[in-house]
Amino acid sequence: MRFSILTCSILSLLAFSCSRKAAGPTVLKTADFEKHVKYFNTMEDENKVNAIPDSESWNWMKSNIPLFDCPQENFREIYYYRWWSFRKHIHQTPQGFVFTEFIVDRNYADKYNMISCALGHHIYEGRWLHDQRYLNDYVHVWFRGNEGGRMKKLLNFSSWTADALYNRYKVNQDKGFLTNMLPDLQSEYAQWEKDRKTETGLFWQTDVKDGMEESLSGGRREQNARPTINSYMYGNAKAIAAISELAGDGANQAVYMAKADTIKSLIINKLWNPEHAFFETVKKRGNGEFAQVREAIGYIPWYFDLAEPDKDVAWEQVSDPKGFAAPYGLTTAERRHPEFRSHGCCQCEWDGAVWPFATAQTLTAMANRMNLSESKHLTDTTYFRQLERYVESQYHRGRPYIGEYLDETTGYWLKGDQERSRYYNHSTFNDLIITGLVGLRPRADDIIEVNPLLPAGKWDWFCLDNVLYHGNILTIVWDKDGTRYKKGVGLTVFVNGKKVGSVPTLERLAIAYNK
């Protein structure tokens, strides 16, 4: 894929470098998308009301979300459905706003019905909201809501929170908030080192504490070295190093970069199974043998740009029907394994069924790999087809739905008739549309980078509008012949309504600008 770098004209720079949020979208008309929300509000009962009721959902969405338009109706419908359902989880507490995972109360949750398992997903998805006080409050409650300290159950699940917060900074540029969180993030990291680091240097975790109970590689009580927690710790160390640099603490930056380098080496040398050409769990805290099963968690190293190109052969499994490719999405374990889906139905098993939590991680990892360099094992068609299956899976009884997990061959939601499963806030989707399909790649520097992962000839047009990015409103338009939006031919980027760059075809575009 070609890589075009454009430099904005001085007049264009002046037009937006001194401004903050513009009045609204540049190309799309907000009112055109209200129909989706009207339908969502009437398609079923409002089982629980949190901070923003259904009756106020459209007003909230108008003020907070990027707009998306494309020729494929189900993509567009699920995009707005996921913002509509995400909003349902905003709960106002005496300490500020928080996000829940389940709409209904769970007896194992922390105060305010909070569960930390999908905290990283919540931050990645929520970073695109215009009003960032929701995430600010949420993070502060988790880390400081227990008489100034961490909530009791924050560390009940493996976490990539530091990584998520740094990647959020790439969108909102709130340096003050991020550097203020540095002591909290270091304290969390140190606790994981104390509780989970082994004599090998790897970290161990049980299935349950990874949020992935009943996997083929372990069990509820098995303490194994898993690609999950080790990759998370790498991502967190790398993020803390970057935050330390922002804070002007070079010594701390060096310490955490050394930690990241060490973990990276351990993951590559100890968790890569050459026999299966895949990152796999190693039994007994890393002192045993490989679990001898490919699982979706083997793609998590790419989520953090950890794996080297020579490991790309692992990606062949996402297109292999004996690997992870199933009619309704990517399975959590390889389908060829003799124990695939053997742990019984509907008990939260991660032995093969499709989980949106894992799908979101795998698709994020896939997009990250595809943005590093060309790979003979991955194409735009591969990414789009798997994203399309993710879209197609998010329906139940003919209506938009997001739940816990689903049958890989029928698409039936395995807890779809249980109230706990409805609106399960345990994954990302809109972040995948924004950063993967449309291809806005968040960066800490002054480059706007766009690399759509859309196969040539698939769509003649799309538009992502009203994106609050680095304090400005971005609009990204693909219009093959210029007739849909009448803003020019090809891929075009606007900042606060001003055109700053374009290319005639779908290709990577980077635009240098000054704040």
Side-chain angles (χ1 to χ4, degrees), residues 474-486:
L474 262 60
T475 305
I476 301 169
V477 174
W478 162 245
D479 198 342
K480 184 177 180 179
D481 59 13
T483 60
R484 172 69 181 184
Y485 301 110
K486 297 178 173 58

Side-chain angles (χ1 to χ4, degrees), residues 18 28 98 108 135 144 172 190 201 330 371 414 455 509:
C18 297
L28 300 179
V98 302
Y108 49 84
L135 280 185
R144 301 173 183 176
N172 72 4
L330 293 166
N371 273 277
L414 295 170
L509 172 62

Side-chain angles (χ1 to χ4, degrees), residues 235-299:
N236 288 337
K238 195 168 66 167
I240 292 172
I243 299 167
S244 298
E245 182 180 20
L246 288 173
D249 190 342
N252 203 52
Q253 178 189 4
V255 168
Y256 277 88
M257 279 308 302
K259 290 177 184 288
D261 290 343
T262 298
I263 300 171
K264 177 178 179 177
S265 178
L266 288 167
I267 292 171
I268 290 172
N269 291 316
K270 293 183 177 294
L271 298 187
W272 178 259
N273 185 346
E275 179 184 353
H276 287 167
F278 215 78
F279 288 106
E280 294 183 10
T281 293
V282 175
K283 296 286 199 175
K284 298 179 181 179
R285 302 190 181 198
N287 290 303
E289 302 297 324
F290 284 110
Q292 298 298 335
V293 57
R294 297 181 185 93
E295 297 173 301
I297 59 175
Y299 290 120

